[in-house]
Structures are given as C-alpha cells and as structure tokens.
Amino acid sequence: MDSVDIRFSRDELIDHLRRTRIAGDVATPRQGNLRHYRELVKGNRRFWLGLELGERWTEETVLAVMAERVGVVADPGHLQGQDTIDARLTVEGLDRMAAVLREAARQRWRVLVATGHPGGLLDVHQAIARALRAAGATVVAIPKGLSTTEGDDDSYGDVRQFGSVAVLEDGATLWHTHAPQPMSAILDALTAAGEPLPDLVVADHGWAGRAGQRGIRTVAFADCNDPALFLGEAEGTIAVTVPLDDHVVDPQAYEPMTAYLLSEAGLTA
C-alpha cells in the first residue's frame, strides 16, 4: 500500500469485508474453531499466543466471548460447517484501534510493529508503520542478529524487519508463526541494550500476546480460530483486538480496511 487512496464509507467497508470474506461467512471452518477453543482450555500453550490464561476459561466461556467480540455462531450445538465474523464488529474494532494509533501519533510514542502472518497482513502492518512514522511517532528498530531457538509451533529462525515490520525469517522465507518467542527476543534484546521498551505494539498472533503479557499496550488483529487475543482483550491484557480472516486469497483485499483505519486515526498511508 504505497499510494493507495481508497475512501470507503463505514457501510461500504462492511459490504467489502463481507464480499471478500475478510468477515461475514469466512473460510475458517467451525470445527477448526471449536478445536482451537478446546486446545486453549486444555492448556495447550500453542493456542495461548504468549498470554498466561491459566485455568480461568471453559469451552462455554470461550465460545461466549468469541460470539460477543467476533460474531461466531453462539450456538454450542453448531459443530461443523460455516462459521462467521461479524463485519460490524470488525469495523468497531478498527475504530478502537484507530483511537490508539491517533494517540500514538499525537504523543509521539515508540511503536513496534510485527506480524506472524506476513502472507496476509504484511502490507497492512507496513502501511501502519509508515503512517505513524510520517506523523511523528518513532517506529522501533529491532536489534540486529536476533534469532529464536524454540517455539510453541516449531518456528525457528531469524527475527528481522521488512519495511519496519518485525517478522520471522528462515533463509529467504518469511514464516507464518503463532510463537511468542520472537517478540520475547526483541523485548529482551532492547532491555539488554539499555533501550526503552515500546509504548505500543501493533501485531498479531504470539507477537501481540507476548507483548501484552509483558505489560506493553498492544493492539492486534486476530482470526476467529485464534481466541487467545480476544480473551486477552476481555481480561484487559490486550487493548484492542480486531476480528478478521487473517489470510484471504488476495492480500490486496485488505487495502480498503487499512485506508479506513488510517483515515479514522487521522493518519495517511
């Protein structure tokens, strides 16, 4: 998103999200969602995304939060087939995220931007980083030479920045990862170097969860099969979690959403 100028009204954006299946009838199947909810409740840390969720949640309470904050089907008897994300909840999440980004620009915060979903959301995060920098915020440069040696989803590799967005790389490949270890590596390295931690993290997956768990104000994007960040928002560990399908077929479909977010934040791409 270098020079994209897409101005959608709120209703037009809701329609766009549904048509592209960023929200509405999403591709993520119901049975996959429920399996992830069960694994989280069972204590499988791969599904905690860097948060410490303990034994506070049941399958029933997780589903209730996901129905309220994401718009998945609330009926516990709906066991397979289509599941949903409410596009209006997506836009409401974007509005809440925009308010945080506006404050970050006004206060010239130090912001760290990261993604574990580079195939779908790298352009979104890069546009946010550019807009914040242009508005006077500081986009944190991560220390050189970082790597992870272990991960909850077997994601190992080097932690690097592309277009000011932190990602996990192995060789010439950017990795899809749920692991929180890459964010831990960044925060630990900043502390070791005597540098202040970010005032704000904009991220997803374990990058967001671990930052929030470390007490950093965090705003995030999350799919309906990744309940941890929505639970984190419910508990106050994550400031904002925007529900969306985090990897639709055409990543350019996110451009109107990103333009709306930046416009509402008073920023430009």
Side-chain angles (χ1 to χ4, degrees):
M1 264 187 66
D2 290 325
S3 59
V4 176
D5 185 14
I6 303 171
R7 295 291 182 266
F8 277 19
S9 70
R10 186 184 185 89
D11 287 342
E12 289 171 333
L13 179 60
I14 288 170
D15 180 64
H16 171 80
L17 295 172
R18 290 170 177 159
R19 284 189 291 103
T20 56
R21 301 183 72 185
I22 293 172
D25 291 340
V26 293
T28 313
R30 174 67 166 194
Q31 54 270 30
N33 286 346
L34 295 180
R35 182 177 66 83
H36 285 205
Y37 304 171
R38 285 193 298 272
E39 289 295 321
L40 180 148
V41 170
K42 286 164 56 179
N44 187 336
R45 286 179 172 269
R46 181 181 187 277
F47 296 88
W48 287 12
L49 301 181
L51 292 167
E52 292 297 329
L53 297 174
E55 299 178 353
R56 297 185 291 278
W57 294 93
T58 66
E59 291 182 42
E60 291 77 14
T61 56
V62 171
L63 180 58
V65 167
M66 296 301 287
E68 176 187 6
R69 294 177 179 265
V70 180
V72 303
V73 177
D75 179 8
H78 179 52
L79 301 179
Q80 60 182 358
Q82 184 65 58
D83 214 338
T84 56
I85 294 175
D86 187 334
R88 295 187 182 278
L89 293 177
T90 302
V91 176
E92 290 174 9
L94 293 170
D95 291 341
R96 297 196 307 275
M97 182 181 284
V100 178
L101 298 182
R102 185 184 309 114
E103 182 69 6
R106 188 177 71 83
Q107 297 286 354
R108 298 179 182 270
W109 285 348
R110 288 170 49 83
V111 184
L112 176 62
V113 185
T115 183
H117 230 304
L121 297 179
L122 182 59
D123 283 354
V124 176
H125 286 88
Q126 287 180 334
I128 293 170
R130 283 195 300 270
L132 286 171
R133 179 182 287 114
T138 297
V139 177
V140 174
I142 69 172
K144 304 293 185 183
L146 299 184
S147 63
T148 61
T149 57
E150 60 181 345
D152 293 335
D153 57 357
D154 296 324
S155 295
Y156 314 125
D158 299 317
V159 184
R160 304 187 188 278
Q161 278 178 306
F162 288 85
S164 300
V165 178
V167 295
L168 187 66
E169 181 194 41
D170 184 13
T173 302
L174 303 186
W175 279 94
H176 170 217
T177 178
H178 289 74
Q181 282 83 358
M183 178 58 73
S184 293
I186 294 173
L187 300 180
D188 292 345
L190 289 172
T191 299
E195 297 185 30
L197 295 180
D199 302 300
L200 174 68
V201 166
V202 182
D204 50 54
H205 285 180
W207 303 82
R210 181 53 49 83
Q213 189 64 44
R214 295 276 287 262
I216 299 170
R217 184 185 288 103
T218 301
V219 296
F221 299 100
D223 208 329
C224 56
N225 63 354
D226 290 328
L229 298 183
F230 297 102
L231 304 185
E233 183 181 18
E235 292 187 333
T237 312
I238 304 293
V240 177
T241 304
V242 178
L244 47 65
D245 186 316
D246 55 17
H247 197 159
V248 295
V249 173
D250 180 7
Q252 290 184 324
Y254 296 108
E255 290 179 356
M257 181 197 79
T258 309
Y260 176 90
L261 171 65
L262 297 181
S263 176
E264 290 301 300
L267 307 173
T268 59

